[in-house]
Amino acid sequence: MKAVEVHLPQDVDKSFIVFRETGDFFPAPWHYHPHYEFVLINESTGRRMVGDHIGYFQKDDLVFMGSLLPHVWVNDPIYLQRQATHKADALVIHFTDDFLGEFFMNIPEMKEFRKVLKLADRGLVLYGETRQKIITLIKQMPAMNGLPRLSALLQIFDIMSNTTEYDFLASPRFVQNFQYGASDRFKKITGYIMQNFDKDISLSEIAAVGNMGVTAFCNFFKEQFRVTFVEYLTTVRIGHACKLLSEHDRNIVEVAYECGFNNLANFNRQFKKLKGMTPSDYRKTLIIR
């Protein structure tokens, strides 16, 4: 079973990813990525494979995994056959070791957490009071923005730095023998998107950045990012729109065009689809009370 490199969409105005995975079952293949990852199961059951470890997951299962460690969560047949009474649901946090700058993880205050990052190379399943404290924080994070969101993650780092309530998953032999280099191709693609999202980007143009044909690129992008190129580009544009809306020096039409939308109605529709409210309502929520 060959592991594929997978990446979740990240808002342009956020330094790390908080992602909700929900559906009839968890669709991700056996995969890896350069990010560190927390996975919290809100609902559903099944088997999880982390490296060469196979275990069983259920509600409130919480795992922390290191960079490039291959893994997959496979739901029980009742979910795969769409016969469960509730959806599979999980919260996922992704961050890189330099998400707060090249030197952040090397400051003295992060000494103990650096040890945790090393332990996470094998994957850690958390239990006890540690698990309950972190679950409480993770469940609050989808509704958070700005410093409260970052503060919640740093609190999780602190909890992880002062606990022994975990078990290892993958064996040391597996970690030592498993080597993957993160692909430069996706870095070129995402870099190009971040520099040009305010312009029209054709499929042939972005495919050429990855040195691929259009069909191969579309398949690659969906496999790597779990969304289509258009969906990812829209997420980046809406994330930047949120930043511009918070600055209050542009009207909504200007924001739409600066983010690459040539049609205001489409901007409003896509914004509401991703954020659950119109751009004007979003701006109202940012007014200091």
Side-chain angles (χ1 to χ4, degrees), residues 96-250:
T96 58
D97 56 6
D98 60 352
F99 81 107
L100 290 179
E102 182 179 356
F103 303 107
F104 176 74
M105 288 296 178
N106 291 320
I107 65 175
E109 291 83 355
M110 298 303 292
K111 178 181 178 181
E112 294 304 315
F113 188 65
R114 287 197 299 273
K115 299 177 183 177
V116 176
L117 293 181
K118 183 61 178 174
L119 296 175
D121 284 348
R122 293 176 55 190
L124 307 174
V125 60
L126 303 167
Y127 58 86
E129 187 176 351
T130 296
R131 180 176 65 180
Q132 294 308 313
K133 287 180 179 178
I134 294 178
I135 285 176
T136 298
L137 288 165
I138 291 179
K139 287 187 174 181
Q140 296 171 356
M141 291 175 74
M144 291 178 169
N145 285 294
L147 284 177
R149 184 176 185 269
L150 176 59
S151 176
L153 184 61
L154 295 180
Q155 288 180 65
I156 292 173
F157 289 178
D158 181 55
I159 294 168
M160 293 292 297
S161 299
N162 294 282
T163 187
T164 58
E165 292 182 316
Y166 57 79
D167 289 325
F168 289 106
L169 297 176
S171 69
R173 179 182 293 274
F174 179 89
V175 174
Q176 290 167 3
N177 293 340
F178 189 88
Q179 295 291 330
Y180 269 121
S183 169
D184 287 334
R185 178 174 281 172
F186 89 88
K187 294 179 183 177
K188 292 178 181 178
I189 291 170
T190 55
Y192 190 87
I193 292 171
M194 290 302 177
Q195 293 173 14
N196 298 280
F197 66 83
D198 57 337
K199 308 177 183 70
D200 287 332
I201 305 176
S202 68
L203 276 173
S204 59
E205 178 184 352
I206 192 64
V209 173
N211 195 28
M212 290 180 284
V214 170
T215 300
F217 169 80
C218 290
N219 292 335
F220 168 83
F221 200 95
K222 187 65 182 287
E223 183 179 71
Q224 298 279 305
F225 291 84
R226 308 267 302 284
V227 294
T228 67
F229 166 68
V230 172
E231 290 170 334
Y232 184 88
L233 179 60
T234 299
T235 299
V236 171
R237 287 172 169 171
I238 296 300
H240 188 59
C242 291
K243 178 179 181 296
L244 296 182
L245 288 168
S246 70
E247 295 171 355
H248 293 280
D249 59 348
R250 299 169 178 82

